[in-house]
Amino acid sequence: MGAHDDLRKFISDLAVVHGRVVLSSGREADWYVDLRRVTLHHAAAPLVGQVLLDLTADWDYDAVGGLTLGADPVACAMLHAAAGTRRQLDAFVVRKAGKAHGLQRRIEGPEVAGRRVLAVEDTSTTGGSVLTAVEALQEAGAEVVGVAVIVDRGAGDAVQAAGLPYRAAYTLADLGLVA
């Protein structure tokens, strides 16, 4: 099996939780995909980085990140996977709101102004979180080249309606789940 198949197995075995849950979008579901169980796992996290780098290999960007918390381990996995191939890729974190102390930055990490960046998320249902990050990045002067997620729960149309290319490593169907 390759990295894509290996990561799918980790997601199915570790991240898919059955039972009634309320999603951050406010929608209810009979299952939840808790990707932090994968993105923070010692064996699965490197696969996250490799799979998302492969997924976006034809996009030109030199920094990756998104809205904290779901995007943070995804961006770090991509940073480390890129470093393993000697590619220079920075990561950044977009806060949900600006800080009132310190440097008062909304985007932490290397400067994004004037850079081509990739916005990421672990999973997305409505696109709300990743589009919040995109807005902050654009306000900071970054050029967002696209959005990539590990698992799409239906956000593609909203992201594309905002004028951005959208890619997902896996759909719900890939995981044997129905919306």
Side-chain angles (χ1 to χ4, degrees):
M1 292 190 348
H4 194 265
D5 290 333
D6 291 346
L7 182 56
R8 179 181 324 156
K9 181 161 179 31
F10 273 116
I11 293 169
S12 295
D13 292 351
L14 301 177
V16 177
V17 180
H18 294 277
R20 198 82 177 140
V21 295
V22 177
L23 306 172
S24 64
S25 64
R27 296 182 186 175
E28 291 188 6
D30 291 324
W31 42 264
Y32 181 69
V33 182
D34 183 1
L35 283 167
R36 281 171 293 285
R37 294 178 180 197
V38 169
T39 60
L40 297 170
H41 186 274
H42 70 279
L47 296 172
V48 168
Q50 182 179 348
V51 166
L52 286 180
L53 286 175
D54 291 346
L55 180 69
T56 60
D58 60 328
W59 288 353
D60 180 28
Y61 59 93
D62 65 3
V64 60
L67 196 65
T68 198
L69 176 74
D72 301 348
V74 177
C76 288
M78 292 179 71
L79 174 146
H80 288 287
T85 66
R86 302 209 186 285
R87 175 179 175 190
Q88 294 182 5
L89 181 65
D90 288 331
F92 56 83
V93 173
V94 179
R95 293 177 179 276
K96 294 178 182 171
K99 291 189 336 182
H101 60 282
L103 297 178
Q104 301 178 358
R105 295 181 65 183
R106 174 121 191 245
I107 301 172
E108 297 289 352
E111 186 61 53
V112 297
R115 296 178 76 183
R116 295 174 58 84
V117 303
L118 174 66
V120 294
E121 185 61 72
D122 55 3
T123 185
S124 190
T125 303
T126 65
S129 292
V130 77
L131 290 174
T132 296
V134 165
E135 182 180 337
L137 289 162
Q138 290 170 336
E139 287 174 2
E143 178 187 349
V144 180
V145 301
V147 171
V149 300
I150 302 171
V151 176
D152 177 43
R153 289 186 62 118
D157 290 343
V159 172
Q160 290 170 339
L164 294 165
Y166 180 80
R167 291 187 184 162
Y170 308 95
T171 65
L172 295 178
D174 294 333
L175 302 175
L177 301 170
V178 292

